[in-house]
Amino acid sequence: QVQLVESGGGLVQTGGSLRLSCAASGRTFSAYGMGWFRQAPGKEREFVAAISRIGKNTYYADSVKGRFTITRDNAKATVYLQMNSLKPEDTAVYYCAATTSNYDLALRQYNYWGQGTQVTVSS
């Protein structure tokens, strides 16, 4: 098993930036593909970004491509989501998740989830 703890959320104005972190503990971090998902009020949880086990490959939802960057540091067992040019529609609870696949875009393939961190973008 792996335990995940997100941090770095907060309130930011439109056009601002935030960096989310997700610290993992438990089994070997590099054995997992990692992803970020988000859930806005009244909406389903959606894919944001994913990164493969050694960070060679990254994937993004169209809505965040060019603005968000996912990275990982396997030595620190941490995955990051750098969010730039934030928009009010980015407001959501952001979750990191781990999959035993090398990478995956599908929510159902993720086995472990953090508790989430709130991101609010004011207009």
Side-chain angles (χ1 to χ4, degrees):
Q1 278 201 348
V2 62
Q3 293 78 43
L4 304 171
V5 179
E6 303 98 333
S7 61
L11 173 65
V12 64
Q13 291 186 334
T14 296
S17 298
L18 282 174
R19 188 175 83 153
L20 306 183
S21 299
C22 174
S25 60
R27 294 187 63 181
T28 306
F29 181 66
S30 59
Y32 297 92
M34 297 299 297
W36 285 97
F37 294 79
R38 67 186 181 186
Q39 188 167 17
K43 295 188 176 181
E44 293 187 351
R45 195 170 298 189
E46 64 177 6
F47 169 77
V48 175
I51 189 166
S52 57
R53 292 181 184 130
I54 61 171
K56 182 177 181 180
N57 302 103
T58 56
Y59 308 87
Y60 298 94
D62 287 343
S63 59
V64 306
K65 203 170 293 184
R67 299 188 297 123
F68 290 11
T69 303
I70 186 171
T71 57
R72 66 188 295 163
D73 184 336
N74 284 350
K76 296 183 178 179
T78 302
V79 61
Y80 304 96
L81 186 68
Q82 178 67 44
M83 306 186 294
N84 298 329
S85 302
L86 282 161
K87 306 175 181 180
E89 51 263 44
D90 295 317
T91 295
V93 177
Y94 283 71
Y95 299 88
C96 75
T99 176
T100 53
S101 303
N102 186 28
Y103 65 88
D104 213 296
L105 279 61
L107 185 150
R108 65 182 181 276
Q109 297 299 332
Y110 284 79
N111 313 93
Y112 306 102
W113 293 83
Q115 82 289 349
T117 186
Q118 176 71 47
V119 171
T120 303
V121 185
S122 63
S123 56

